[in-house]
Amino acid sequence: MPLDLPQASAQWEQVSHALCPRGRMSTEQAVNIGLLLNPELNKARLSLMKKVSAAQYAGLWEDPSVGADLERIAGGPVSSRALAPSLTLPLTGLPALAKKAEEQYAAADFLQLCADELAYRRSLEEKILEVQVAHARLEMMQERQKVLAVESEQAERLLKAGEMDLTDYHIIRRREGDMHQELQAQETTHLKLHQELIALMGLHPSLAHAEITDELPTHAPAAMPIPSAEELLYTPSVLAQLEGYKATETELRAEIRKQYPDLKIAPGYLREDGEHKVTLGAEISLPLWNRNRKGIAEAGGERTLKAHEVVTTWHNLLREADNLRARQELAEQHCRAEEERIAALRGAAEQREQLFGMGETTLPAVAEARHEAYVRRLNFLENMQELLGVQIAIRYLH
């Protein structure tokens, strides 16, 4: 089937805009779109379909064969004719074991696909969080730039009137210049994160400016429970490894069975010297020396390797769960502490603003208080991102 790439591209853009018509979506909508369009997940699904389709035809018996003989004395009439079909009877049960192994591998691939989907949902929500934080930082910086512009104008007038020290004036102007650079860098970061999000979702790049409608929490959320070691045993990644291990056990049994003989029977028909005869032949293999030692050794080694992978996967989950527990505790402490500092600074800043309005304090003093409040808000946003990111990881751990 020939590929029409321009048509496929047009369909991609059409589907993308149909799924996100307003250029705005919630986190839940973004996850659903990503599960539908992500190319890596779709590739994994197609691979699974191929494995399942192949598993349906695994373990078939060998095709029967037919042999015919014609005997004739040179120069004379045909003296005999023979027809003998033959069929191998798999007494070792190898076809059944082969089918079972393929079914187990298909089950392992299905569970691995489930694990991949969970990992994808986690990575997508983490990317959405990055976009939300970047957007919040951008709005915070834009608001801060407006405040600094007003402060610079006030400082200019006070300097000309001789009511401001030159050092304080330069500090205010330098902050405005630094904010201009930080805002430019944040605009670039914001755009790149949006592009990465759209690529991760599988949407057309024309939707690179699509926004997430969900708002970040204003206060630190409650801690999430960490799954126990027993619960982690039932994660799709561990179950997938276990199914793979069972398949290697089945393959080892098949290799062991290969050291035993199969039986081939060949009933036949013979016409010789005008007489009709029925024959029956039998053939049995005699594995005397080889006995499939090499195949058994390789299958046993593969089973040992798969057992190691199962244990390693579970240990990695245990380690990650413990790491996430410690990170959540620390991030929650930092968020709570920063919230207290912001609340204290907010009260002090309001008092300074009132005093400045009454002319009882200076512009540099107010500007310093505003800058401190801005820095604390940025710090709280970073701590909140760490806490929310850890909780996303906990939610998709099992």
Side-chain angles (χ1 to χ4, degrees):
M1 182 180 66
L3 294 176
D4 189 343
L5 296 181
Q7 181 181 3
S9 179
Q11 290 177 348
W12 178 30
E13 184 174 6
Q14 181 181 2
V15 169
S16 297
H17 284 275
L19 292 173
C20 188
R22 297 179 299 168
R24 295 172 59 82
M25 53 191 162
S26 65
T27 299
E28 183 179 359
Q29 290 172 331
V31 170
N32 291 334
I33 293 173
L35 289 173
L36 181 65
L37 297 183
N38 180 261
E40 294 301 322
L41 285 180
N42 285 327
K43 180 180 178 181
R45 293 179 182 121
L46 292 174
S47 178
L48 176 62
M49 290 173 62
K50 182 181 73 172
K51 291 285 186 67
V52 171
S53 178
Q56 295 176 355
Y57 303 101
L60 298 179
W61 284 22
E62 293 184 11
D63 291 331
S65 61
V66 177
D69 290 322
L70 180 67
E71 184 176 335
R72 177 180 181 178
I73 300 174
V78 175
S79 60
S80 67
R81 301 178 181 87
L83 183 66
S86 64
L87 176 66
T88 299
L89 299 179
L91 302 180
T92 55
L94 288 176
L97 289 175
K99 183 173 182 60
K100 182 179 180 181
E102 287 298 322
E103 290 174 347
Q104 288 171 328
Y105 276 125
D109 289 342
F110 171 74
L111 290 168
Q112 186 57 51
L113 176 60
C114 294
D116 291 343
E117 288 182 348
L118 283 178
Y120 172 75
R121 291 169 66 97
R122 171 179 170 177
S123 63
L124 183 57
E125 289 200 21
E126 288 173 342
K127 183 62 66 176
I128 289 174
L129 176 62
E130 289 184 50
V131 170
Q132 289 177 304
V133 171
H135 189 77
R137 286 175 61 89
L138 183 61
E139 290 182 340
M140 199 179 300
M141 288 179 177
Q142 290 171 342
E143 178 186 348
R144 176 65 177 155
Q145 187 185 42
K146 293 178 182 178
V147 174
L148 287 173
V150 174
E151 289 180 358
S152 294
E153 293 177 0
Q154 293 174 337
E156 187 78 30
R157 291 196 301 268
L158 291 173
L159 181 66
K160 290 180 180 179
E163 298 179 4
M164 172 171 277
D165 184 74
L166 186 61
T167 301
D168 294 332
Y169 171 77
H170 284 307
I171 289 175
I172 292 176
R173 294 305 301 267
R174 186 180 69 249
R175 282 178 179 166
E176 184 184 19
D178 292 344
M179 179 52 59
H180 184 69
Q181 293 179 351
E182 292 176 10
L183 183 57
Q184 288 179 333
Q186 187 61 29
E187 287 173 343
T188 301
T189 300
H190 184 253
L191 176 60
K192 287 181 178 180
L193 287 174
H194 269 277
Q195 292 171 338
E196 292 172 4
L197 174 62
I198 295 305
L200 186 59
M201 292 175 61
L203 286 170
H204 193 271
S206 59
L207 289 168
H209 294 281
E211 290 289 351
I212 302 297
T213 57
D214 296 350
E215 297 289 339
L216 289 171
T218 57
H219 300 284
M224 292 188 65
I226 305 295
S228 64
E230 290 74 16
E231 290 174 325
L232 293 176
L233 284 173
Y234 298 97
T235 59
S237 57
V238 173
L239 294 177
Q241 294 291 344
L242 283 172
E243 282 296 325
Y245 173 74
K246 293 177 183 177
T248 58
E249 280 195 321
T250 302
E251 289 180 333
L252 176 58
R253 289 172 55 196
E255 294 297 331
I256 293 174
R257 294 280 186 89
K258 286 180 182 179
Q259 65 182 326
Y260 301 113
D262 275 331
L263 175 65
K264 179 183 289 187
I265 59 174
Y269 164 77
L270 174 65
R271 178 180 173 85
E272 185 177 13
D273 297 330
E275 296 182 356
H276 299 277
K277 300 178 182 180
V278 177
T279 64
L280 178 63
E283 180 182 331
I284 188 169
S285 60
L286 297 176
L288 298 177
W289 295 284
N290 181 19
R291 300 183 67 82
N292 199 35
R293 291 184 177 89
K294 181 175 181 291
I296 293 173
E298 290 178 345
E302 187 65 28
R303 184 184 65 168
T304 302
L305 287 174
K306 184 57 69 173
H308 174 73
E309 291 178 6
V310 174
V311 175
T312 301
T313 300
W314 186 47
H315 286 178
N316 288 340
L317 285 173
L318 291 174
R319 183 182 299 108
E320 185 178 8
D322 189 67
N323 291 344
L324 290 174
R325 176 194 55 75
R327 286 177 58 190
Q328 180 177 231
E329 291 178 359
L330 188 60
E332 188 178 12
Q333 291 176 9
H334 289 170
C335 281
R336 304 296 183 197
E338 204 60 45
E339 280 184 306
E340 294 177 1
R341 296 189 190 100
I342 290 175
L345 283 174
R346 185 181 296 113
E350 291 175 356
Q351 292 180 355
R352 284 184 179 274
E353 293 289 347
Q354 293 176 357
L355 292 173
F356 181 68
M358 295 184 295
E360 297 183 6
T361 190
T362 62
L363 177 61
V366 174
E368 186 66 28
R370 291 170 180 169
H371 181 72
E372 179 67 17
Y374 166 73
V375 170
R376 289 301 178 189
R377 288 170 60 199
L378 282 181
N379 194 35
F380 174 73
L381 190 59
E382 292 177 1
N383 290 324
M384 179 68 77
Q385 181 178 5
E386 168 67 10
L387 179 57
L388 294 177
V390 168
Q391 293 191 346
I392 290 173
I394 293 173
R395 187 161 62 250
Y396 290 111
L397 195 57
H398 69 298

